[in-house]
Amino acid sequence: NVAGVQTCALPISYAFSGKGTDMGHYVRAGKGILAGEWPIEPFERAPLWPYFLSIVFIFNNSMLAVAISQVLLVVGTVLLTYLLGKMFFDQVTGLIAGFTLSLYGGYIFMTVVPLSVGLEVFLATLSLYSICCLRENFRFRNAILAGTVGGLVCLVRPNYYAVFPTALVLVDRKSTR
């Protein structure tokens, strides 16, 4: 089922990554970074996704490499969802949450469309996980991880500028008292 959706969606994502689309803009920006031609003007979109694409293009300058990197982000998100479910409830809940996310059609489709959604959801989930780890064990290392991931998620989706600091304020620091 998952492989079938991805097989059907892959040609669609390539077709829409042409000029005039968001996907095309991001792909050109990622390749432009490698060529030293981008950004030529102030950012009109969040900058992390084009830089992520440029890193992928360093290893393999193909859209297949982008699709594979997005699949790896989705796998990471499913794993983090499992860990969060286990942390908040129990192992069975974590398994159900991870499994349910792995079958969600919209998210599966986004794994092969070169947009920032896969990176955004992965970083947002990692941000939530790092905040929960900070809550469980308030250490400097955990604070650095939470802050770094929070900053990265803000660079891929600026809306998180309001969400991430609020989440940090809500962290219960009873473990330090």
Side-chain angles (χ1 to χ4, degrees), residues 9-25 27-28 109 113-115:
L10 195 56
I12 294 169
S13 72
Y14 292 148
F16 288 107
S17 61
K19 192 172 186 174
T21 65
D22 284 347
M23 293 175 273
H25 169 80
V27 169
R28 285 188 306 280
F109 181 76
V113 177
L115 289 173

Side-chain angles (χ1 to χ4, degrees), residues 45-129:
R45 297 179 180 152
L48 186 58
W49 181 242
Y51 282 98
F52 176 82
L53 287 176
S54 69
I55 292 168
V56 172
F57 290 145
I58 287 171
F59 296 105
N60 187 335
N61 195 1
S62 74
M63 293 306 293
L64 182 60
V66 173
I68 290 169
S69 69
Q70 289 184 267
V71 168
L72 294 174
L73 290 171
V74 168
V75 169
T77 304
V78 169
L79 176 64
L80 288 167
T81 302
Y82 158 74
L83 292 172
L84 284 165
K86 183 179 173 185
M87 185 183 290
F88 283 119
F89 301 103
D90 56 27
Q91 185 171 1
V92 172
T93 304
L95 286 169
I96 292 170
F99 183 72
T100 303
L101 179 60
S102 72
L103 296 178
Y104 178 55
Y107 196 52
I108 293 168
F109 181 76
M110 294 309 293
T111 63
V112 293
V113 177
L115 289 173
S116 62
V117 175
L119 181 61
E120 172 191 339
V121 174
F122 172 75
L123 288 175
T125 308
L126 183 58
S127 175
L128 178 60
Y129 182 75

